[in-house]
Amino acid sequence: MKKFGSRLIMVLLLSGSIYWVSKSISENNICANSITCINNLSVQIDNDTDGIFEGQKIIPPKIDLAQDNVKPKVLGAEIPAGPKHIYVDLTTQTLSAYQGENLVMKTFVSTGRWGKTPTGEFAIWVKLRATRMAGGQGADYYNLPNVPYVMFFSNNEVPASKGFSLHGAYWHNNFGYTMSHGCVNMRIIDAEALYNWADPVTTSNTTHATKDNPGTTVTIYGEPYISKLPASDLRLLILINRSTDNLNYVYTQT
Amino acid sequence: MYTLKHNLAILLTIIFTGIIGIYLVYQNSSSPTIPDFVKATASEPEFQTTSQPSSDGKVELTMKKTLAGQAENKDKMITYLFTVISKSDNISQSIFNQTVSTETSFLIPFNTFSPNNKYLFIKQTENGKNHYLVFNSSAKPFTNGELFLDITPLFEAKYPDLTLKNVTGWASDTLLIVQSSGPSFWFEMPNHFIQLSTKF
C-alpha cells in the first residue's frame, strides 16, 4: 500500500511536470514574438544592424530621435475630444480609429499569417518609439531592429508578456493581407499617426499606461482568410536569398 | 382719299415689318450652332488627381487623369500622367504618360511602392483584362531597355494553363506577390517567377 502511494505521488508529479512544460511551450508558441516578447519589451534603437525576415536580409530604416522633437501633427486635433477606440477587422484587414463618434483614421493593416492575432477587447499598456522584434525558428526565424511606433496591447486573457502590438512594418508592403506573426502591421506613416494620437499620451520614448494616463481601447474582431505559407515556401525563400548571385532557383514542392 | 392714303401707309408698314422680320429670321437661322467640342475646349482642362504615399511617406505616386478636353477626340481619348514626388525636397519625376481610349483605365494600388521605394507597380485594365506594370521609381529603364515590365504577358507566357488573378503587393524589397487561378507566385525583380505550393 505504501509502495502504491509513493508510485501514485511519482505519477502525479510527473504528470504535473509534463503539463507545466507543455503549457509553457504552448504559451510560447502563441507569443507574437517568441524571443523578444519574453526577454525584452523595452525601447531599443539599432541604426547599424541588419534584420532578417522570411530568410531575406533587411536593411531597417535609421531612426533619428532628434527629428521627433518637431511637434507631430496629431490626428483628430480639429475634432471635439471624446473617448478613443481602435477597431481592427481581421476579415477586411482594416483598422479604424474613432474619437468619440468621429472616424479619424481608416487604413489597411496586416494581421497574423504565421501566428494568430488574438480577438477581444484590449488596452494599450505601453508605447515604444521603436524596438527589436525577433521570433520564430529555423526557416521562420526573424529578427527586426528598429520596428517603429509600437503599441503593445493586452487584456486579462492575453497578458502583456505575449507581446502583441500594433506597429509600423518596413520589411513588406502588402497591407490588406495577412503578413504577420500575430501583431497588427501598419504602414509606417499610419503607425506614426496612430502612435501620436493614441493613449497613453506620449511622454517619452517609452510611455506606460497608468491610472491617470490610461491606454486606448483596442477591439479586434472577425476571422481572417489565411492560406498558410508552408515551411517549404519559407525554405525556398532562404534558397533564393542564398542564390541571389547566380539566380538559379530550385523549387521542390513538399 | 383719306382712306386710300391710310390703307397705303398700313400696307407699307406691313411690308416693312415683314422685311425686317424675314431679315431677323434669316439672321437667326444662319447663325452657326456651336458644336459641343468647341464649348468643351472653351473651358479650362480638368484633371482628376489621385495619389498614394509610400509606407514611410518619403515618396508619393500621383496619377493625373484628363477629364475634360477629350470630347474633341472622336475616340474619347484620355491621358494619364504618373509622377513620383519626393516629399523631402518636393522634386517631381514623371515616370509614365499614356493616352488611351475609355476602354482602358489605370489605378494606383495601396501597396504600390516596394518597401525600399525602389520599385512601384500600377494596375492597368484594358477591355476587362488586368495588367500590372512595374517601374523603377527613378523612371530609369530596365536592363532590357523597357520603361516598365508588364507582369501579365510574362506570366501568361510562362504559365499558359493558369490565369493571373491579382498582384497584391510586395513581400520584400524585390518580391511581388502574384495570385493566380492556381498557386501563388513570387515575381522576383526583374524577371523571375517562383511558384509557391499554395495560395498566398
Side-chain angles (χ1 to χ4, degrees):
Chain A
M1 190 66 185
K2 206 172 186 177
K3 204 172 179 181
F4 175 76
S6 61
R7 279 182 180 172
L8 184 64
I9 290 167
M10 286 287 285
V11 167
L12 286 172
L13 282 172
L14 191 63
S15 303
S17 300
I18 290 169
Y19 172 76
W20 183 83
V21 169
S22 62
K23 186 172 183 285
S24 174
I25 290 169
S26 169
E27 285 179 350
N28 285 346
N29 283 343
I30 64 162
C31 177
N33 303 291
S34 58
I35 297 172
T36 47
C37 75
I38 295 166
N39 299 332
N40 188 3
L41 283 181
S42 59
V43 70
Q44 190 179 344
I45 293 169
D46 301 302
N47 281 334
D48 299 316
T49 57
D50 294 335
I52 186 165
F53 184 75
E54 294 182 3
Q56 295 215 312
K57 180 181 153 186
I58 305 285
I59 299 171
K62 293 191 187 303
I63 292 177
D64 180 5
L65 291 176
Q67 292 296 316
D68 289 358
N69 292 332
V70 181
K71 194 178 178 185
K73 188 181 172 186
V74 176
L75 283 177
E78 309 297 322
I79 295 172
K84 296 175 180 176
H85 203 131
I86 297 167
Y87 294 92
V88 177
D89 185 342
L90 300 180
T91 308
T92 59
Q93 293 287 296
T94 54
L95 177 146
S96 306
Y98 282 86
Q99 185 166 302
E101 292 182 353
N102 296 297
L103 180 69
V104 296
M105 172 188 271
K106 183 158 189 177
T107 189
F108 284 116
V109 295
S110 290
T111 66
R113 169 178 289 269
W114 296 285
K116 194 179 176 187
T117 302
T119 54
E121 190 164 298
F122 308 88
I124 294 173
W125 65 272
V126 70
K127 297 201 304 189
L128 306 179
R129 174 61 182 81
T131 192
R132 178 181 290 270
M133 291 189 176
Q137 52 189 327
D140 189 30
Y141 174 73
Y142 63 96
N143 194 333
L144 298 160
N146 284 6
V147 177
Y149 306 109
V150 184
M151 294 156 271
F152 282 105
F153 56 80
S154 67
N155 65 12
N156 290 336
E157 293 171 2
V158 182
S161 60
K162 297 296 177 197
F164 288 102
S165 66
L166 306 147
H167 60 74
Y170 57 80
W171 49 92
H172 76 82
N173 192 7
N174 195 37
F175 302 99
Y177 300 87
T178 54
M179 284 295 284
S180 82
H181 290 77
C183 286
V184 179
N185 289 185
M186 304 179 71
R187 291 199 302 197
I188 297 168
I189 47 169
D190 295 336
E192 180 182 8
L194 195 74
Y195 180 92
N196 290 325
W197 169 84
D199 294 332
V201 176
T202 306
T203 54
S204 68
N205 292 325
T206 302
T207 305
H208 283 273
T210 63
K211 192 179 174 185
D212 297 328
N213 190 13
T216 295
T217 303
V218 180
T219 300
I220 302 176
Y221 62 97
E223 188 66 35
Y225 166 76
I226 299 177
S227 175
K228 279 199 179 279
L229 188 69
S232 57
D233 292 338
L234 290 171
R235 282 197 292 275
L236 171 71
L237 282 170
I238 289 174
L239 283 174
I240 294 165
N241 196 39
R242 288 173 182 167
S243 61
T244 303
D245 293 333
N246 57 24
L247 297 177
N248 290 321
Y249 304 136
V250 179
Y251 178 69
T252 310
Q253 188 164 342
T254 55
Chain B
M1 190 65 184
Y2 171 76
T3 309
L4 185 64
K5 278 184 180 175
H6 184 72
N7 287 344
L8 193 63
I10 291 171
L11 186 64
L12 285 171
T13 303
I14 289 170
I15 291 168
F16 181 74
T17 306
I19 290 169
I20 294 292
I22 290 166
Y23 173 75
L24 288 175
V25 167
Y26 175 77
Q27 278 290 95
N28 282 338
S29 65
S30 64
S31 295
T33 303
I34 299 173
D36 285 344
F37 70 84
V38 175
K39 287 175 185 169
T41 52
S43 63
E44 286 293 314
E46 290 179 26
F47 290 97
Q48 186 184 62
T49 303
T50 54
S51 62
Q52 197 61 256
S54 61
S55 175
D56 60 9
K58 289 181 178 173
V59 288
E60 185 176 270
L61 176 65
T62 66
M63 178 180 80
K64 283 185 180 176
K65 176 185 173 187
T66 305
L67 293 178
Q70 79 272 22
E72 65 191 276
N73 304 307
K74 288 177 182 175
D75 298 331
K76 304 268 184 188
M77 303 300 277
I78 300 172
T79 298
Y80 290 84
L81 174 64
F82 291 87
T83 308
V84 172
I85 301 168
S86 168
K87 304 301 278 186
S88 59
D89 48 20
N90 214 28
I91 291 177
S92 297
Q93 172 71 56
S94 175
I95 62 156
F96 184 53
N97 184 356
Q98 194 162 36
T99 300
V100 293
S101 69
T102 51
E103 278 76 41
T104 301
S105 62
F106 290 91
L107 181 90
I108 305 177
F110 187 81
N111 301 311
T112 184
F113 283 99
S114 61
N116 60 1
N117 298 337
K118 189 178 176 187
Y119 304 109
L120 63 88
F121 77 103
I122 61 176
K123 180 178 176 181
Q124 177 188 23
T125 303
E126 189 174 11
N127 294 317
K129 184 175 181 180
N130 295 327
H131 291 258
Y132 299 89
L133 315 181
V134 190
F135 297 80
N136 277 309
S137 299
S138 62
K140 198 176 158 186
F142 290 98
T143 48
N144 61 2
E146 296 292 332
L147 182 62
F148 61 84
L149 304 172
D150 186 346
I151 303 293
T152 304
L154 293 174
F155 184 85
E156 289 172 344
K158 187 152 189 183
Y159 305 102
D161 297 335
L162 297 173
T163 305
L164 194 158
K165 292 287 187 186
N166 197 8
V167 174
T168 64
W170 299 85
S172 74
D173 288 341
T174 56
L175 293 178
L176 264 175
I177 298 166
V178 178
Q179 295 177 337
S180 81
S181 52
S184 294
F185 294 80
W186 306 124
F187 178 76
E188 185 174 42
M189 297 296 296
N191 53 12
H192 284 79
F193 283 102
I194 302 151
Q195 186 178 330
L196 306 177
S197 61
T198 187
K199 289 184 183 297
F200 191 80

